[in-house]
Amino acid sequence: MLSADFIKQQASALGFQACGIARATALPKDEFPLQEWLAAGFYADMDYMQRHADKRQDPRLLVDGARSIISLLLAYKPDRRMEGPHRIAQYAYGEDYHERLKRMLYQLMESVAGRYPDFSARAFVDTAPISDRHWAQRAGLGWLGKNTLLIHPQWGSYCYIGELVTTAEFDHYDTPMSDRCGDCRRCVDACPNHAIVSRGGENPFQVDARRCTSYNTIENRSETLPSQLDTRGYVFGCDICQLACPYNEQVPASIPLTNDRKAELEQLPQADETAFRRFTKHSPLNRIRYPQWRRNLKH
Ligand code: SF4
Ligand code: SF4
């Protein structure tokens, strides 16, 4: 049995803002209504969301013998935002968080194995069929807001999420945090595309990707964007429903946006393909290809 406090101390020493631990079990359908979201067509053409739906619902099908999920948050709020007519979502200002977070997760595994030589885990950052925000909620790191993002009471929704899935058991597990949105619906009302929807009653809000700027500017591979899409100048991702959230207002900045980086981001719309590829090689913007970038700029 591993010490939960030890893991959390190691995670904090490595620079993670928060760490929580949940038992690996199936996520009930009312907690994670994936099938409902798929049946409504909200996944647009992200067919990969249909694949391995069973694993998304139950991480024990992803990692054989999994007993625990260690969820970790790394805050990314920049100290200022880029300016100009074209906007990039704040999470993509810096280096590719997949690389950075994976490095940190492996460092955490090493330090845990230093005390528990039999410890083994698999590290995930966005790339496997596991719903990181649901596990972060289960691990007591926040609640799922109406914009469907994880909201941490101190760090808001400006956090990258990663997890270690392990067969190890812990001496303590965290309690899921209950919803603190209350009657607020600022994010729902702020969305220029009415993409945050609910069937009413106790049904949770869901994002209809087909209407969402973030999906369309990143995942949509069509030659043109839907004509009615109101991007408000966003050409990669969208921050609008996060900027509207009161829990994000007091979040301290954790990443300085240097003058050089800010200038590079603001000049990117003028970049040719070679310069675009060079800039995006180690950036979250490498998720899209140059023709998509040009399409987004023209919309
Ligand atoms: S990311 Fe933008 S378009 Fe998508 S739900 Fe939020 S506000 Fe709406
Ligand atoms: S804006 Fe309001 S409803 Fe939306 S996630 Fe934040 S607190 Fe919840």
Side-chain angles (χ1 to χ4, degrees), residues 145-147 151 181 184-187 244-247:
K146 291 191 177 86
N147 57 10
I151 317 283
C181 285
C184 175
R185 45 177 289 135
R186 283 201 213 174
C187 55
C245 180
Y247 287 98

Side-chain angles (χ1 to χ4, degrees), residues 2-284:
L2 276 62
S3 160
D5 281 348
F6 174 73
I7 299 271
K8 291 176 186 180
Q9 283 159 9
Q10 298 301 306
S12 173
L14 284 169
F16 288 107
Q17 269 73 28
C19 171
I21 306 174
R23 286 188 192 281
T25 59
L27 289 168
K29 290 191 172 117
D30 58 344
E31 192 176 327
F32 182 33
L34 174 63
Q35 292 301 339
E36 191 184 299
W37 185 77
L38 291 169
F42 291 170
Y43 67 103
D45 64 356
M46 293 183 285
D47 292 335
Y48 58 85
M49 290 301 296
Q50 285 184 305
R51 291 193 291 273
H52 306 302
D54 54 343
K55 292 179 182 149
R56 289 182 199 280
Q57 211 86 42
D58 188 347
R60 295 169 302 183
L61 302 176
L62 179 67
V63 176
D64 198 26
R67 291 196 186 91
S68 309
I69 297 184
I70 306 163
S71 184
L72 297 128
L73 302 187
L74 184 64
Y76 68 75
K77 186 176 178 183
D79 58 356
R80 57 184 172 160
R81 298 173 60 209
M82 62 182 285
E83 295 162 56
H86 302 297
R87 297 176 189 183
I88 291 169
Q90 295 177 86
Y91 83 89
Y93 282 6
E95 69 167 310
D96 189 343
Y97 65 93
H98 297 92
E99 296 171 12
R100 182 171 169 218
L101 204 41
K102 267 273 174 81
R103 274 198 308 273
M104 292 176 69
L105 291 173
Y106 286 131
Q107 286 171 336
L108 180 59
M109 285 163 67
E110 270 178 37
S111 60
V112 176
R115 173 160 163 181
Y116 300 103
D118 292 338
F119 177 76
S120 71
R122 285 182 62 191
F124 297 110
V125 181
D126 259 4
T127 43
I130 182 166
S131 182
D132 48 14
R133 57 207 162 94
H134 285 89
W135 285 105
Q137 191 269 340
R138 274 282 183 103
L141 300 185
W143 69 98
L144 298 184
K146 291 191 177 86
N147 57 10
T148 75
L149 300 173
L150 181 88
I151 317 283
H152 183 279
Q154 180 183 357
W155 299 103
S157 58
Y158 297 130
C159 294
Y160 305 123
I161 309 174
E163 53 274 318
L164 296 178
V165 181
T166 175
T167 54
E169 285 195 289
F170 288 85
D171 59 1
H172 173 79
Y173 286 90
D174 291 290
T175 307
M177 195 176 291
S178 53
D179 180 279
R180 297 190 192 175
C181 285
D183 293 334
C184 175
R185 45 177 289 135
R186 283 201 213 174
C187 55
V188 179
D189 296 337
C191 176
N193 297 299
H194 310 288
I196 305 172
V197 295
S198 166
R199 289 191 289 113
E202 293 299 306
N203 293 298
F205 281 81
Q206 297 187 313
V207 171
D208 182 349
R210 297 168 299 186
R211 301 189 206 175
C212 174
T213 301
S214 194
Y215 158 77
N216 278 291
T217 53
I218 300 173
E219 303 292 339
N220 186 344
R221 304 282 157 120
S222 307
E223 282 186 15
T224 55
L225 294 176
S227 56
Q228 70 277 16
L229 186 73
D230 182 351
T231 64
R232 304 284 162 102
Y234 278 95
V235 288
F236 184 92
C238 169
D239 289 321
I240 293 172
C241 56
Q242 297 198 78
L243 291 168
C245 180
Y247 287 98
N248 281 335
E249 282 170 8
Q250 303 303 322
V251 172
S254 29
I255 295 181
L257 179 61
T258 63
N259 287 337
D260 285 352
R261 186 71 178 182
K262 184 169 178 284
E264 282 179 322
L265 288 165
E266 288 167 3
Q267 286 160 16
L268 201 56
Q270 284 81 51
D272 62 16
E273 184 163 4
T274 305
F276 177 81
R277 284 191 184 187
R278 191 170 51 239
F279 178 83
T280 58
K281 196 168 177 196
H282 296 289
S283 150

